[in-house]
Structure formats: C-alpha cells, structure tokens
C-alpha cells in the first residue's frame, strides 16, 4: 500500500516492496484506490497494481503501508483485511503518529524508498534492477534529485548501491524530468501568472482551479512538484500552491526553505508532512485557506526578521 495521490516516493516504495516480495516468492498484492499516475509507467510494474480488494483471495497476514503519513491517507480499501492482518508502517514523515502494529518511522530518512531498501536488506534480499529502479525513483523524487536539505553521504551511498545493480539511470531521469507533458507546462504557466506575493516576498502563493484542469484536459497528478518553482525564488521562505479540486475540496502544497516548519502549519489545518514539504486537504475554500496561511506564516516570520525583505518587493 501507499498513500492517496501518490508521488514518486509513494509509487517507488510500493512497487519496489511489491516486486521484491514477489521475487522472494511471497504471495503479495499491490493495492491502491487508483492505478499509479502515467508518469511512472516507465517502471512497468504499475500495471500490476490492483484497485479492487475483491481480487485479493485468502487472508493476507500482513499489510505494508509505505510513505503514508496517516492511516486514513492509505490508498485502497484494506478494511476487510484489517482484522486478520497486522499492519506495518514504513514512513519518513515527521507527523506520522505510528499507526501500525509495527512501525519503521524515520523522519531523518530523505525518502521512504531508502527505508524499504533497508528492510529488504535486513531480510537478506539483494535488489534486482527492477526493484532498484523503483527505489531510485523514490529517492530522486523526494530529494529533488539530491538537492533538498537532508541529503547526505548516506543518501548517495544508497543511490550508488541501487545503481550498482546495473540499470541505466537515464531510464528513470528521462521519463521523470525530460518528458513533461505540454499540459503540465501550461499548468505551470497559469500557476506563475497567478503568483501572489505576501509578507514582503517571503511567502509566495498561487492557485489552480478546477476549470484549469478541465480546459487543458490535465490531471491533478501533473501538478506534482510544481510548487517547488515557488519556493526556489530568491527571498522566498515558503511557497504554497492551492488547488481547488473537482470534489469541492481544496488541496494545499507547502514548501519551505526550513525557517518555517510547514508540517506544523499543515497539521493545524488537518494535513501533515515534513518540515520543508507538507500538504493539506481541506473543506475550506481556497481564499479562506490562503487567508489562514498568510496569518499563520506571518506570525512565525514576524519572529525572524530577514534583512533581505526591505527593497526586493513591495
Ligand atoms: Mn516520501
């Protein structure tokens, strides 16, 4: 299992664990409420993900959730198995309440994929190329290709170990970063056009509306990591992308350079995540969410004035 609206680490961790267990001759299913986004078709194994729990025969004795910060964020209906199976929670979100019967929650790991590899190795498993590609995908996407805070020599050593299985890394990097669909570029253009500068340039927000996706025939999954473009602006402490979803809910993606702990802010509005990357799904309308965020982030930044804010923006 992994989380709803899966990102690269979610898909990579789930498929990596799934393929490895299959290679170890375990009876295993990969279940989710939806197939992984097309972006990850290059991993191949995505087509093995089932969406109907009725396809699972017998009584699984274990459920493994990877990269899911909370039990209710797990994608796919596990309720019918929950009484017989024990739940293993493998994750690196600091907000994870350790909802499993067994928990491997390590907030200092830069990806869940790294933790999946650690568990598999403990079990005596040596990664195949197929599994290594899945886990490498998780590491690349959750570290912004080794750029984000938290990356250390350990991260690179894990990546090196995966590459030593012999796959060509361009099989991962090209589909992930060199082949964006045009619709994503258009979404990015809309996001950039709608930039709102707050708190003297230290908070940048933008909004995508349901109509934008309809007009472009774009998918929500195509916005993955677009919000990073907002954080990477000089002087910005927090970048926020607010997306109005078709079901009337509002999705908020927050990225921080580190001064503001966006995991705390997300939690105060019913979400969760990491210090520098967090998300919220809320019933509040976009305008209201933005108002709350300006207030909350403004309170934090008021305590840490920056010298650089006086003249850059007005
Ligand atoms: Mn992750």
């Amino acid at each position: 299992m992994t989380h709803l609206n899966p990102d690269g680490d979610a898909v990579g961790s789930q498929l990596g664990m799934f393929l490895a267990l299959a290679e170890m001759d375990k009876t295993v299913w990969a279940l989710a409420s939806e197939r992984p986004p097309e972006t990850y078709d290059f991993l191949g194994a995505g087509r093995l993900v089932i969406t109907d729990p009725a396809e699972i025969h017998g009584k699984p004795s274990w459920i493994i959730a990877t990269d899911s910060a909370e039990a209710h964020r797990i994608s796919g209906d596990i309720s019918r198995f929950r009484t017989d199976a024990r739940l293993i929670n493998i994750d690196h979100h600091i907000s994870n309440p350790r909802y499993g019967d067994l928990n491997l929650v390590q907030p200092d790991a830069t990806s869940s994929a790294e933790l999946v590899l650690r568990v598999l190795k403990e079990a005596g498993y040596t990664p195949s190329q197929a599994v290594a590609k899945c886990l490498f995908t998780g590491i690349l996407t959750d570290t912004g290709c080794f750029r984000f805070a938290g990356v250390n020599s350990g991260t690179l050593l894990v990546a090196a170990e995966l590459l030593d299985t012999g796959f060509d890394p361009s099989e991962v990097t090209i589909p992930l970063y060199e082949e964006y669909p045009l619709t994503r570029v258009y979404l990015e253009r809309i996001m950039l056009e709608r930039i709102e500068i707050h708190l003297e340039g230290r908070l940048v927000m933008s909004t995508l509306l349901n109509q934008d996706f309809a007009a472009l025939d774009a998918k929500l999954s195509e916005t993955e990591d677009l919000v990073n473009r907002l954080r990477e602006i000089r002087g910005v402490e927090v970048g926020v992308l607010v997306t109005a979803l078709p079901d009337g809910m509002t999705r908020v993606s927050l990225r921080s350079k580190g001064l503001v702990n966006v995991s705390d802010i997300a939690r105060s509005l019913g979400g969760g995540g990491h210090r520098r990357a967090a998300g919220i799904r809320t019933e509040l309308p976009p305008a209201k969410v933005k108002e709350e965020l300006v207030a909350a982030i403004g309170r934090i930044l008021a305590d840490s004035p920056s010298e650089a804010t006086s003249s850059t923006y007005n």
Side-chain angles (χ1 to χ4, degrees):
M1 318 292 300
T2 191
H3 63 77
L4 291 162
N5 299 320
D7 56 15
D9 189 29
V11 173
S13 296
Q14 180 186 28
L15 295 181
M17 180 61 92
F18 168 72
L19 290 176
L21 290 171
E23 287 174 19
M24 294 161 91
D25 287 327
K26 305 292 178 191
T27 306
V28 58
W29 295 268
L31 175 71
S33 58
E34 283 177 281
R35 289 276 174 82
E38 274 169 39
T39 319
Y40 307 106
D41 280 357
F42 71 93
L43 291 174
R47 66 193 150 72
L48 303 174
V49 172
I50 57 170
T51 55
D52 181 1
E55 289 182 45
I56 296 176
H57 306 294
K59 287 182 180 170
S61 43
W62 298 96
I63 299 166
I64 305 177
T66 55
D67 202 44
S68 191
E70 288 182 78
H72 71 85
R73 291 280 298 151
I74 294 174
S75 169
D77 182 10
I78 52 170
S79 52
R80 71 170 77 182
F81 312 113
R82 191 63 188 95
T83 42
D84 297 304
R86 298 183 77 200
L87 178 62
I88 301 176
N89 166 19
I90 300 175
D91 185 35
H92 66 133
H93 294 88
I94 198 164
S95 58
N96 190 306
R98 291 167 170 77
Y99 54 79
D101 299 309
L102 295 175
N103 300 282
L104 177 62
V105 177
Q106 298 252 287
D108 57 338
T110 52
S111 64
S112 292
E114 213 177 301
L115 299 174
V116 168
L117 180 66
R118 199 188 302 169
V119 171
L120 290 171
K121 283 171 66 185
E122 283 285 333
Y125 172 82
T126 307
S128 64
Q129 285 193 15
V131 169
K133 262 167 82 169
C134 292
L135 301 179
F136 191 69
T137 297
I139 293 172
L140 274 190
T141 52
D142 258 24
T143 62
C145 296
F146 307 109
R147 286 177 301 140
F148 297 163
V151 170
N152 55 35
S153 59
T155 322
L156 297 171
L157 286 168
V158 172
E161 191 177 338
L162 295 172
L163 282 177
D164 278 344
T165 62
F167 71 90
D168 178 349
S170 70
E171 289 171 22
V172 175
T173 55
I174 290 177
L176 280 181
Y177 301 110
E178 306 288 337
E179 288 184 346
Y180 287 131
L182 190 57
T183 45
R184 179 188 155 106
V185 179
Y186 285 149
L187 285 171
E188 183 171 353
R189 177 166 70 182
I190 296 170
M191 179 187 79
L192 294 176
E193 272 169 2
R194 293 201 190 126
I195 270 183
E196 298 164 34
I197 312 291
H198 297 274
L199 307 173
E200 294 163 310
R202 302 172 85 190
L203 169 62
V204 169
M205 298 202 281
S206 188
T207 316
L208 291 173
L209 305 171
N210 197 11
Q211 304 82 288
D212 302 327
F213 294 90
L216 294 169
D217 195 21
K219 293 187 200 70
L220 186 62
S221 60
E222 289 177 47
T223 64
E224 188 183 332
D225 289 337
L226 269 189
V227 62
N228 291 337
R229 296 277 281 121
L230 303 178
R231 173 178 57 182
E232 71 194 26
I233 301 165
R234 183 183 297 160
V236 166
E237 284 296 339
V238 182
V240 178
L241 178 60
V242 177
T243 308
L245 303 175
D247 61 3
M249 300 286 281
T250 302
R251 191 175 83 165
V252 186
S253 305
L254 303 112
R255 296 289 184 276
S256 167
K257 284 198 175 119
L259 191 58
V260 177
N261 184 342
V262 288
S263 173
D264 285 349
I265 292 176
R267 238 183 301 183
S268 73
L269 289 165
H274 311 283
R275 183 177 185 90
R276 291 179 172 81
I280 307 162
R281 242 181 107 87
T282 173
E283 285 172 358
L284 295 174
K288 181 71 185 154
V289 181
K290 287 194 273 187
E291 209 182 289
E292 303 244 341
L293 290 173
V294 173
I297 295 166
R299 277 193 296 274
I300 296 166
L301 287 179
D303 295 333
S304 38
S306 148
E307 305 90 328
T309 52
S310 50
S311 59
T312 320
Y313 305 90
N314 70 11

